[in-house]
Amino acid sequence: MSGPANITDIGALDEFRRALIRFREELGVAVAEADSDVKSTFVWLERDRMLHWKRAVPRLDEELTSTKAALFRKEMQTMGTGQRPSTIDEKKAVGRAKARVEDARERFDKTRRWLMTLEREVSLYKSHMSPMASLIDRDLPEAIQLLRNMALALEAYLATPNVTLGEQLDRARGNVASMRRSGELRTAAEELQDLAAAEVLQADERVLTAARDAALRAVKTEHALPQHNAPAQADANAPGTQDGGVTP
């Protein structure tokens, strides 16, 4: 069981609550900015760089083809003296076109790999930021409200007037007197009188019950006597017993 709280200044609770409010706001802004940066980077790679290099590769391939065609035409030319013209510039153009094509393809591949890596990292980032979102949306608001309730409870406690022991006894005596006047509280003598009256009633009930049981038994006895005399009367009325005769 935790010990009593040693709170000497309610204002410290309010100050701590305000600090938590500021911390929650700053944390929310930081998380929102991080989410925005991640989203903007993802959009930049997916919709800008990927499309750019995807379109650049075929365009540069066409330029390379054009420079090669120009070199081929130059090599097929002959001068009036029978010598072939110089193709140094055309060859340099072909080399530059090849370099641009290779660079574009390499950048396209790197962008695609970086996009896949970013998708994986964004998924990990969201899973790691889930507790932070719960902290901002649920835990910190609950803590802020709890501190507010604690401060209000302490303020209400301090606002309650102190009651001495004598005042408490006076209030108790007044409550007892009020209960006696209203009949809610009875004295010991009154309770003994009620018990004696209840015992008298119970004794009367026992006497009445005994008298009723005796009357019932008497009635049952009267009904049972004629049944025992019935065989004797039947013998007296039988043939051969009339006029005092005896049956041989």
Side-chain angles (χ1 to χ4, degrees):
M1 182 176 180
S2 60
N6 185 17
I7 300 175
T8 58
D9 186 7
I10 298 178
L13 289 177
D14 289 333
E15 182 61 29
F16 182 50
R17 182 176 63 86
R18 288 191 290 269
L20 276 183
I21 292 174
R22 292 192 298 269
F23 171 71
R24 179 175 179 268
E25 292 175 353
E26 294 174 358
L27 184 61
V29 171
V31 171
E33 290 179 352
D35 291 340
S36 178
D37 291 341
V38 170
K39 184 177 180 180
S40 61
T41 303
F42 187 83
V43 171
W44 178 71
L45 282 175
E46 183 181 32
R47 300 182 182 179
D48 186 89
R49 294 295 86 192
M50 280 292 294
L51 291 177
H52 172 76
W53 296 117
K54 187 176 181 179
R55 294 170 181 173
V57 170
R59 177 175 55 81
L60 294 174
D61 279 335
E62 291 179 0
E63 292 181 1
L64 176 60
T65 302
S66 299
T67 56
K68 287 181 177 180
L71 175 61
F72 179 76
R73 288 193 300 270
K74 193 66 173 291
E75 290 176 345
M76 293 296 101
Q77 293 179 3
T78 56
M79 300 178 64
T81 58
Q83 296 180 351
R84 295 183 180 276
S86 174
T87 58
I88 295 176
D89 294 336
E90 285 74 10
K91 289 180 179 180
K92 289 182 178 180
V94 170
R96 290 192 297 268
K98 285 183 179 180
R100 287 195 295 269
V101 170
E102 292 175 358
D103 180 68
R105 288 177 177 173
E106 183 179 359
R107 289 177 182 271
F108 176 75
D109 292 338
K110 286 183 177 180
T111 302
R112 183 171 54 187
R113 289 196 300 270
W114 274 111
L115 185 60
M116 295 173 60
T117 302
L118 182 61
E119 288 178 351
R120 183 172 61 254
E121 294 298 328
V122 167
S123 179
L124 293 175
Y125 166 77
K126 289 182 178 180
S127 63
H128 292 162
M129 289 299 294
S130 179
M132 186 67 68
S134 299
L135 177 67
I136 296 173
D137 297 334
R138 184 188 62 192
D139 297 340
L140 285 177
E142 289 180 356
I144 292 169
Q145 185 62 39
L146 179 61
L147 289 173
R148 178 59 178 165
N149 294 338
M150 290 172 61
L152 291 176
L154 290 173
E155 290 174 356
Y157 173 76
L158 293 177
T160 303
N162 295 327
V163 181
T164 62
L165 179 60
E167 293 175 348
Q168 293 180 4
L169 291 175
D170 292 339
R171 291 181 181 179
R173 294 191 186 98
N175 292 333
V176 171
S178 177
M179 293 174 65
R180 285 179 176 175
R181 286 193 299 270
S182 62
E184 297 178 4
L185 186 65
R186 301 175 61 83
T187 62
E190 292 174 344
E191 292 182 355
L192 289 175
Q193 290 178 359
D194 292 342
L195 290 175
E199 290 178 355
V200 171
L201 290 176
Q202 291 177 358
D204 293 341
E205 289 180 357
R206 287 194 294 270
V207 171
L208 291 175
T209 301
R212 183 188 61 189
D213 294 341
L216 290 174
R217 286 195 297 271
V219 171
K220 291 180 180 180
T221 303
E222 291 178 359
H223 284 289
L225 289 176
Q227 295 177 359
H228 292 293
N229 295 331
Q233 293 178 358
D235 293 339
N237 295 328
T241 60
Q242 296 179 357
D243 298 332
V246 178
T247 303

